[in-house]
Amino acid sequence: MSLIKGSCHCGSVAWEFDLPTKTVVKCYCSMCRKLQGTDHSTYVVVPKEQFILTKGKELSVCYQATKQSYKNFCSECGTPTHLVNGKHFPDDVMLPLGVVENYMEKLAPKIQVYTADKPSWVNIHDDEPIFS
């Protein structure tokens, strides 16, 4: 197994997890776009038992996005740190790909979801399977 680490922008909240992950998903749904402030979100889906919050638990603030899902972020810098999507991945932690260290070497999107919700100017990558 390989240990992967990540942290918020200011470094106050940090975590780690072991490979392999469940998947890496690129999502175009309106809720993900709104919560991340981008045209799409890309998340690493990690089984809960592989995820360890190593620093800053007291600085991690939770926002209940829906009845089943919540998003944590650093109270110091506002960086989204991790979330739970209780509808689609209830037994996993989802980490925004951009806050994972050295992700470009080990992790790449494997699936795309909610592509019908994408902005018309966003191009779909043909090499990533579409699941909705």
Side-chain angles (χ1 to χ4, degrees), residues 23-26 106-112 127-129 131:
T23 192
V24 179
V25 59
K26 191 184 295 182
K106 304 251 184 208
L107 303 167
K110 304 285 186 223
I111 61 173
Q112 300 177 90
D127 59 338
E128 298 164 4
F131 279 85

Side-chain angles (χ1 to χ4, degrees), residues 26-29 33 111-120 122-125 128-132:
K26 191 184 295 182
C27 183
Y28 296 95
C29 81
R33 291 195 323 262
I111 61 173
Q112 300 177 90
V113 297
Y114 294 99
T115 56
D117 295 345
K118 74 173 184 56
S120 61
V122 170
N123 295 317
I124 298 294
H125 293 96
E128 298 164 4
I130 296 172
F131 279 85
S132 64

Side-chain angles (χ1 to χ4, degrees), residues 5-68:
K5 296 182 178 189
S7 66
C8 63
H9 183 263
C10 71
S12 296
V13 179
W15 59 91
E16 59 190 36
F17 62 90
D18 281 321
L19 294 177
T21 63
K22 186 169 273 183
T23 192
V24 179
V25 59
K26 191 184 295 182
C27 183
Y28 296 95
C29 81
S30 60
M31 186 168 70
C32 281
R33 291 195 323 262
K34 190 88 156 177
L35 286 170
Q36 293 298 99
T38 62
D39 63 337
H40 72 276
S41 296
T42 306
Y43 297 106
V44 180
V45 182
V46 178
K48 284 181 183 176
E49 62 272 6
Q50 290 175 224
F51 174 78
I52 301 169
L53 192 59
T54 59
K55 181 180 175 188
K57 184 175 183 177
E58 71 283 358
L59 296 173
S60 182
V61 177
C62 181
Y63 168 68
Q64 192 78 39
T66 70
K67 187 176 180 178
Q68 298 175 307

